[in-house]
Amino acid sequence: MSIDEEEGQGIGHNTRKEALDVSSNERAHHAVHVSKQNGALAKLRNLEARLDARLGIESEAIVRKRAEDKKDVPWTEELNMALLWASGTMNTSCFATGFLGWEFGLSLEQAVLITVFASILGGVVTGYCATFGAAMGLRQMSVSRYSFGWWPNKLIAILNCIQQMGWAAVSCITGGLALTAVSDGHVSLILGIVILAAVALLISFIGLNAILAYERYAWVIFLVIFLIIFGETGKQADNSTPASINGATRSGAALSLIAIVYGSSAAWCTTASDYYVHYRADVSRVKVFLMTSFGIAIPTSIGMLAGCVAASALNNQPKWQNTYKRDGLGYLIQDMLYPRGFAKFLLTLLVLSGINTNVISIYSASLSFQQLARPLALVPRFAWTVVSFACILALAVGGREQLNTYLQNFLSLLGYWCTSYAVILFEEHFVFRRGKFENYDLEGWNDPGRLPLGIGAAVAFGLGVVSWCMGMNQTWFVAPLAKAIGDNGGDVANELTFVATALVYLPARFLELKIVGR
């Protein structure tokens, strides 16, 4: 099926011809207008328009935001560049990830250093990608069309859908465990997962304004909770016992933990611009970069370091260790904090942290679904939030029994492809666009004929995938190079992916420009 046929099924020849003569933004509005004339999609779009008018439900979300569509934003609202991520990352998932260093056999000191370093490294990757949102007025998956082209970028959108739903599933599991503990087992883990996902669905359903309003303040509660966890578990922390592994095995464990922590922060790079399109195009890119990078790195470190400290305390508290292994994270938190009534209160609040991540994930997943194909873009965003909600429930319920294995495998995989993604955007912008947004044909964001074919990006990304397979260290697969590091292997997939993508994209994109011309 041709592009025209895909875009205009049920549309007359004259209408298609007219659509091709107008700007890309007008084409999007025209497609919406046609869809309203008949059929189920028409009813959904009309419903979306009515909800937008009455309740502020965000409609036509992926359409480019032009300068005239934007208003001056006060400095207090610019704080959302950091506070949004603080709320999304300071959660029970990060706390659970902090236990992995202890499980790998690393000392507290080693786990702390790796957590801080890798969180900053991953935050920098996301901070860079965030700088495109305000300048281009496009969502992250639309931004990457200028590197990956029209068709290869659809694969990136699919990966992003999977990634966001996976993140939300992890948050549902960890929050559900806490809710089960609070209720003394009366609320099942499955019911807890459903509750967390449903509340996040309601907020994401409304759109960006509701998300920014909620996330601006939610982080305060969880910062206080993690400070209390530091205070009540810190005196039991074991900072004297050395790592239980040595030599190459210890190096392998350190590399694997770096991959996991880095992946948890870098994974936001495929959604960052989604939350910056309403800022003026001339907003300082340095400000955006710094506030996003440290808005992710610092809160992520706080949650994970609390997990590192609590995990080390298990060495001094056999009862806590038995609770963790037998009953899970929620019951452990309840045992560690005192008095018991206060612990239950904190756990009740901590349950809400899973909602913060889910809100961001569901919203960005819905935007990515809309960019898989033109017909899917006609399905209202709020409908895709419901689809994302259903997928998240399926993932969370299916992965609820093996939380740490789920975290290790999933978070590592996130970092792999996000590394390739960020490297390609970086080289495209600074080498081929000379670091200037005037060199982007922003009017052609939704026109395949005005975008790159994406051959260079596809080749570089494909070789990046080969690099993952050579260096990954997962429960289900230990790659040849990873297997050579110690007894348990060491994850070097991100390092290999970075080098392979960076070296291949430059010549591949140069040839694409020379032969194709765009």
Side-chain angles (χ1 to χ4, degrees), residues 225-514:
I225 291 174
F226 281 120
L227 291 178
I228 292 172
I229 291 176
F230 276 118
E232 295 203 6
T233 63
K235 58 189 176 183
Q236 301 292 339
D238 182 6
N239 57 6
S240 60
T241 302
S244 60
I245 49 179
N246 294 295
T249 301
R250 183 174 60 188
S251 298
L255 287 168
S256 295
L257 185 58
I258 288 173
I260 293 168
V261 178
Y262 162 82
S264 72
S265 295
W268 299 110
C269 77
T270 57
T271 66
S273 291
D274 295 350
Y275 304 95
Y276 294 82
V277 293
H278 63 294
Y279 293 112
R280 288 172 54 91
D282 59 358
V283 66
S284 170
R285 294 189 75 203
V286 174
K287 179 193 296 184
V288 172
F289 172 76
L290 292 176
M291 292 186 72
T292 304
S293 298
F294 290 101
I296 289 174
I298 294 175
T300 298
S301 295
I302 290 173
M304 289 189 183
L305 292 180
C308 292
V309 170
S312 72
L314 301 185
N315 293 333
N316 297 327
Q317 293 287 334
K319 180 183 177 182
W320 290 0
Q321 188 171 153
N322 291 334
T323 300
Y324 176 65
K325 292 181 176 180
R326 183 183 66 249
D327 301 321
L329 188 65
Y331 286 95
L332 173 63
I333 295 174
Q334 192 167 261
D335 280 359
M336 289 190 301
L337 303 180
Y338 54 88
R340 187 173 180 83
F342 180 60
K344 282 185 172 293
F345 172 70
L346 292 183
L347 263 178
T348 303
L349 295 177
L350 199 56
V351 166
L352 300 176
S353 70
I355 296 172
N356 301 344
T357 302
N358 292 356
V359 165
I360 297 175
S361 297
I362 292 175
Y363 179 74
S364 289
S366 67
L367 296 178
S368 293
F369 274 120
Q370 286 189 308
Q371 300 191 61
L372 295 179
R374 288 193 189 277
L376 299 184
L378 299 180
V379 178
R381 181 195 60 80
F382 75 81
W384 286 120
T385 62
V386 177
V387 172
S388 301
F389 166 76
C391 294
I392 288 165
L393 285 183
L395 285 171
V397 171
R400 70 188 186 280
E401 299 298 337
Q402 297 292 331
L403 174 59
N404 276 337
T405 299
Y406 192 80
L407 282 170
Q408 292 175 44
N409 291 332
F410 185 71
L411 297 184
S412 295
L413 287 172
L414 293 185
Y416 302 158
W417 81 273
C418 289
T419 297
S420 289
Y421 179 88
V423 168
I424 289 172
L425 259 63
F426 182 89
E427 293 188 339
E428 176 69 26
H429 183 70
F430 285 104
V431 177
F432 299 102
R433 310 280 179 170
R434 298 183 176 89
K436 299 178 180 179
F437 287 102
E438 308 92 82
N439 293 329
Y440 291 84
D441 179 11
L442 295 180
E443 295 297 327
W445 74 274
N446 203 34
D447 186 346
R450 298 167 67 174
L451 294 168
L453 292 182
I455 297 173
V459 171
F461 192 84
L463 289 177
V465 173
V466 174
S467 300
W468 311 349
C469 298
M470 292 175 61
M472 70 167 61
N473 182 25
Q474 303 292 334
T475 303
W476 46 273
F477 177 70
V478 180
L481 293 179
K483 192 179 297 184
I485 306 175
D487 296 336
N488 303 316
D491 197 310
V492 291
N494 282 304
E495 293 83 349
L496 292 174
T497 299
F498 176 86
V499 173
T501 306
L503 292 179
V504 172
Y505 184 68
L506 291 177
R509 179 70 172 125
F510 176 78
L511 287 174
E512 180 183 1
L513 285 170
K514 188 175 181 63

Side-chain angles (χ1 to χ4, degrees), residues 54-213:
R54 295 179 183 179
L55 303 176
I57 299 288
E58 187 180 12
S59 62
E60 299 181 21
I62 64 171
V63 174
R64 180 179 166 235
K65 303 300 182 288
R66 299 169 180 271
E68 58 268 25
D69 300 328
K70 302 181 181 182
K71 301 177 182 179
D72 289 333
V73 175
W75 69 269
T76 52
E77 191 169 331
E78 288 187 344
L79 292 175
N80 278 338
M81 295 179 191
L83 301 183
L84 166 73
W85 308 111
S87 294
T89 58
M90 206 182 307
N91 52 41
T92 49
S93 297
C94 283
F95 184 66
T97 305
F99 280 71
L100 296 179
W102 174 77
E103 295 200 354
F104 288 171
L106 297 173
S107 68
L108 175 59
E109 180 182 5
Q110 292 163 350
V112 166
L113 290 174
I114 288 172
T115 295
V116 173
F117 167 76
S119 294
I120 293 174
L121 187 62
V124 165
V125 170
T126 301
Y128 169 72
C129 292
T131 61
F132 288 87
M136 299 177 73
L138 293 170
R139 310 294 181 150
Q140 194 69 57
M141 288 297 101
S142 295
V143 168
S144 54
R145 287 177 177 178
Y146 291 90
S147 303
F148 288 88
W150 182 261
W151 295 107
N153 196 62
K154 295 181 185 297
L155 171 62
I156 301 301
I158 291 173
L159 289 173
N160 194 44
C161 289
I162 296 170
Q163 172 172 294
Q164 299 313 315
M165 292 185 294
W167 260 120
V170 171
S171 295
C172 284
I173 293 171
T174 52
L177 289 170
L179 188 59
T180 300
V182 163
S183 64
D184 292 326
H186 296 298
V187 174
S188 69
L189 178 54
I190 293 178
L191 179 57
I193 289 170
V194 172
I195 292 173
L196 288 167
V199 175
L201 171 65
L202 292 176
I203 299 173
S204 300
F205 186 89
I206 298 176
L208 185 58
N209 289 335
I211 292 171
L212 294 177

